[in-house]
Amino acid sequence: MKDFFTRNEEGGARTLNQEILGLFREKRGEIVSGEELSGVMQVSRTAVWKHINALRGIGYRIEAIPSRGYRLLAAPDLLLPEEIAVGLQSVRIGRRLICFRETVSTNEVAFRLAEEGAEDGTVVIAEGQRRGKGRLGRQWESPSGVNLYCSVILRPPILPTRAAQLTFLSAVAVARAITATTTLRPFIKWPNDLLVNGGKVAGLLNEMSAETEKVNFIILGIGVNINMVREQFPDGLRHPATSLLLEGGKAVSRLEFARALLVALDDLYDSYLVNGYGPVREEWLCRCNVLDREVRVTFQESELRGRAKGIDEEGGLLVQLADGRIERVLAGDVTII
Ligand code: BT5
């Protein structure tokens, strides 16, 4: 398992790769001399050449012009920290970005990193997952190079019983990112799906390590179908599934989406730490598809019908039954009647 790039390991320092790419960007397609590069990077010309080759190895197209220098022709269509970081406005979320060409599951990697002490806001992203995880041992289809698979490590000072609040926070963040990068109208479906035109475009899987009175860390697992095409969806999915490309009719930049998501998470998490759960809940309610609708909730063999009235502090869906009583539902599948 190899991460091809990491960003800001030392809390803010730009990596050499970022320095090189930053200089190329400043020059907007012009030639940058080896001398200039070695001056900025404070390394020898041979070291510059090695770095250029490493960038080529990742997929950057860089032309070498004898006795003049180098020119950046194209960046790869990959979710690299060096690319995500360009113009990224977030402060906490994504301070450290770790990206993989492929991994088993970003949630698993993030969990392990968190156990080893990775800081609040660390983000793990993969181009593809071999065994992407859904809830309850289900699988998340994770074809390479078309979608976003992302896990964020958070260390909020909250009781474990409040952890579901972060699931709602991540749902709101995904909805904001979809709105920021497309003209589509996403809806949040309790507890952890995002729908566009009735099809599931994103799923959330939040995992936690906790003691009785304290959360050690929470992993926000976020999978978004961005440019996935029909043939990439297997038969027999639990719900109709779709992607932003299929619904909007045009490809969405994965980099722009990733940045929009990290910024939304950053903003919401900041507000959550200062103002608590209230604002998240309010926005969730505005963006969900069940409020004040008649719903049927099924869980295993049981079924319940009523009017959805909201969500509570612990993630429960509040359903008003025909006799006026409010029932709190903690797990199940919701269908709007
Ligand atoms: C989820 O589970 O919706 C949570 C998905 C979380 C995925 C992210 S990707 C990054 C991070 N790393 C991981 O390993 N996981 C997280 P659930 O509600 O249980 O839905 C799973 C069900 O959705 C499956 O059983 C399929 O029926 C269906 N499904 C599988 N892949 C899908 C896809 N790409 N798009 C839509 N539906 C899918």
Side-chain angles (χ1 to χ4, degrees):
M1 185 170 65
K2 174 167 160 35
D3 51 321
F4 42 72
F5 267 151
T6 60
R7 173 192 166 216
N8 290 2
E9 294 288 341
E10 312 301 334
R14 298 220 304 177
T15 61
L16 282 182
N17 286 332
Q18 277 179 293
E19 295 288 353
I20 300 178
L21 292 167
L23 198 54
F24 277 131
R25 273 193 202 98
E26 267 169 41
K27 296 280 173 154
R28 297 169 185 274
E30 307 240 315
I31 298 169
V32 183
S33 72
E35 227 170 325
E36 230 175 317
L37 282 165
S38 69
V40 168
M41 294 160 63
Q42 307 215 324
V43 294
S44 70
R45 300 276 289 269
T46 322
V48 167
W49 179 81
K50 276 191 188 153
H51 274 279
I52 294 281
N53 266 349
L55 287 170
R56 283 177 172 152
I58 304 160
Y60 283 92
R61 280 182 45 227
I62 299 171
E63 183 185 19
I65 301 143
S67 57
R68 293 186 60 199
Y70 302 95
R71 180 160 54 192
L72 177 64
L73 301 178
D77 180 24
L78 290 173
L79 293 167
L80 298 165
E82 270 60 11
E83 295 298 318
I84 297 171
V86 178
L88 180 65
Q89 300 291 339
S90 71
V91 179
R92 187 194 318 258
I93 310 289
R95 209 163 21 188
R96 185 178 176 206
L97 282 163
I98 304 174
C99 299
F100 296 84
R101 267 186 206 283
E102 193 189 72
T103 188
V104 175
S105 144
T106 54
N107 262 35
E108 273 183 28
V109 175
F111 205 96
R112 209 162 54 232
L113 285 170
E115 283 179 326
E116 289 164 8
E119 64 179 18
D120 195 39
T122 301
V123 174
V124 178
I125 289 178
E127 286 288 323
Q129 299 183 113
R130 286 190 294 281
R131 242 187 358 264
K133 294 198 288 184
R135 290 176 303 155
L136 308 168
R138 297 185 198 125
Q139 198 155 330
W140 187 253
E141 289 299 320
S142 309
S144 190
V146 287
N147 291 337
L148 178 67
Y149 315 109
C150 162
S151 299
V152 182
I153 299 171
L154 296 182
R155 298 182 181 277
I158 57 170
L159 289 171
T161 49
R162 298 281 189 266
Q165 298 177 350
L166 277 307
T167 305
F168 297 138
L169 185 150
S170 56
V172 171
V174 176
R176 279 194 192 179
I178 294 175
T179 310
T181 54
T182 70
T183 52
L184 301 169
R185 179 133 193 246
F187 283 103
I188 301 171
K189 178 171 179 279
W190 181 88
N192 74 326
D193 295 350
L194 273 109
L195 308 182
V196 170
N197 301 328
K200 179 162 170 171
V201 285
L204 310 166
L205 173 68
N206 292 352
E207 298 181 288
M208 169 171 68
S209 154
E211 290 153 38
T212 325
E213 306 257 308
K214 172 176 161 263
V215 165
N216 296 323
F217 58 81
I218 290 176
I219 309 294
L220 303 182
I222 302 170
V224 188
N225 301 333
I226 297 186
N227 295 323
M228 205 170 168
V229 293
R230 229 350 107 223
E231 303 76 64
Q232 288 172 309
F233 289 97
D235 295 332
L237 294 178
R238 285 166 52 86
H239 302 284
T242 189
S243 71
L244 299 180
L245 166 67
L246 287 172
E247 296 309 315
K250 58 173 187 254
V252 173
S253 156
R254 293 186 307 142
L255 276 170
E256 265 177 45
F257 189 92
R259 281 188 212 116
L261 178 65
L262 298 184
V263 166
L265 285 168
D266 199 57
D267 183 47
L268 285 158
Y269 188 51
D270 241 24
S271 154
Y272 178 80
L273 293 178
V274 178
N275 308 312
Y277 173 51
V280 169
R281 171 157 56 185
E282 261 169 51
E283 191 169 339
W284 191 96
L285 290 171
C286 291
R287 293 182 181 276
C288 79
N289 67 346
V290 290
L291 195 62
D292 269 326
R293 308 279 295 269
E294 286 296 322
V295 293
R296 183 176 64 233
V297 190
T298 50
F299 182 65
Q300 292 168 353
E301 301 304 304
S302 65
E303 179 180 309
L304 177 150
R305 279 165 188 257
R307 190 172 284 270
K309 298 308 279 182
I311 47 173
D312 72 5
E313 301 280 307
E314 294 175 3
L317 181 69
L318 303 174
V319 180
Q320 187 165 39
L321 309 181
D323 62 9
R325 273 186 307 125
I326 300 274
E327 187 86 28
R328 187 165 164 256
V329 184
L330 284 172
D333 268 320
V334 177
T335 319
I336 295 172
I337 302 171

